[in-house]
Amino acid sequence: MGKSKVTTIVVNYPENQAPTWVEPRAYKPYRFGLGKLSKNPLVAICMNPSAARDETSDRTVNRVIAASQKLGYDGWVVFNTYPERATDAANMDEFDVILSQENVAVIKEFLIKNELKEVWGAWGDLKYEALKQGRDAILKVLAEQDIKVFHFAPPTKASNPRHPLYLKVEVERKRYL
């Protein structure tokens, strides 16, 4: 069996912040969404999933949770531009159009069902085609649904919204779209 693409370093969820929703429910080499559902969740779209699952978190998800608490949200949800699990995106497989389409469909359905009008763009600089293609497909759906994307200043040098691990979350947000 080959070496895992996902770190074995995991962290606990903050108290009372374990997810109530994971898609798919069973652990797979991909994840479409993860979150603590509520009436007013902070929805983040990050790069690609790593180790977080229903029992244990990872540093990125815990940063999203901390941001949701700081900003006064009553829950949190993390989606990604591409659903393949890999702690280092350089280890991802080739782009899978079917997997990407399923990811976008889950995100779209969730946002419409929950009547959300904005999401936090938190993907950072994307170096790999699967991540870029996934982002572009998500941005198209967001535009079609008139869902705004915000980010925290400053953006990266390439003008992308910073990844949660590399920014200080402030109450003031900037529009990305």
Side-chain angles (χ1 to χ4, degrees), residues 27-38:
Y27 185 85
K28 303 276 186 188
Y30 55 88
R31 185 186 72 226
F32 300 120
L34 170 79
K36 181 180 180 201
L37 301 182
S38 65

Side-chain angles (χ1 to χ4, degrees), residues 96-165:
D96 180 332
V97 68
I98 304 292
L99 189 61
S100 182
Q101 288 172 341
E102 191 171 352
N103 185 53
V104 172
V106 168
I107 294 169
K108 179 179 178 180
E109 179 183 339
F110 181 90
L111 295 174
I112 291 171
K113 178 181 175 186
N114 291 281
E115 299 177 351
L116 294 163
K117 294 299 175 193
E118 69 174 13
V119 297
W120 171 17
W123 49 79
D125 289 334
L126 305 176
K127 298 177 183 173
Y128 303 99
E129 273 309 304
L131 300 173
K132 292 176 185 177
Q133 289 182 41
R135 176 207 52 209
D136 293 347
I138 291 167
L139 288 175
K140 180 179 178 196
V141 165
L142 295 177
E144 290 168 354
Q145 299 302 317
D146 197 29
I147 297 171
K148 305 296 181 211
V149 180
F150 69 87
H151 70 97
F152 299 97
T156 67
K157 288 180 182 178
S159 298
N160 288 301
R162 289 194 184 276
H163 188 277
L165 290 178

Side-chain angles (χ1 to χ4, degrees), residues 21-119:
W21 175 76
V22 181
E23 181 62 38
R25 187 72 190 153
Y27 185 85
K28 303 276 186 188
Y30 55 88
R31 185 186 72 226
F32 300 120
L34 170 79
K36 181 180 180 201
L37 301 182
S38 65
K39 290 184 179 184
N40 184 33
L42 173 62
V43 176
I45 300 178
C46 297
M47 189 177 287
N48 66 294
S50 181
R53 55 194 302 177
D54 52 349
E55 304 96 14
T56 54
S57 190
D58 61 32
R59 291 177 39 225
T60 299
V61 170
N62 278 4
R63 290 294 301 262
V64 171
I65 293 168
S68 75
Q69 294 171 324
K70 181 175 185 174
L71 298 170
Y73 290 88
D74 62 357
W76 58 273
V77 174
V78 175
F79 292 115
N80 294 279
T81 62
Y82 192 70
E84 183 181 344
R85 291 181 184 270
T87 302
D88 181 348
N91 295 328
M92 290 187 339
D93 295 334
E94 292 294 318
F95 179 72
D96 180 332
V97 68
I98 304 292
L99 189 61
S100 182
Q101 288 172 341
E102 191 171 352
N103 185 53
V104 172
V106 168
I107 294 169
K108 179 179 178 180
E109 179 183 339
F110 181 90
L111 295 174
I112 291 171
K113 178 181 175 186
N114 291 281
E115 299 177 351
L116 294 163
K117 294 299 175 193
E118 69 174 13
V119 297

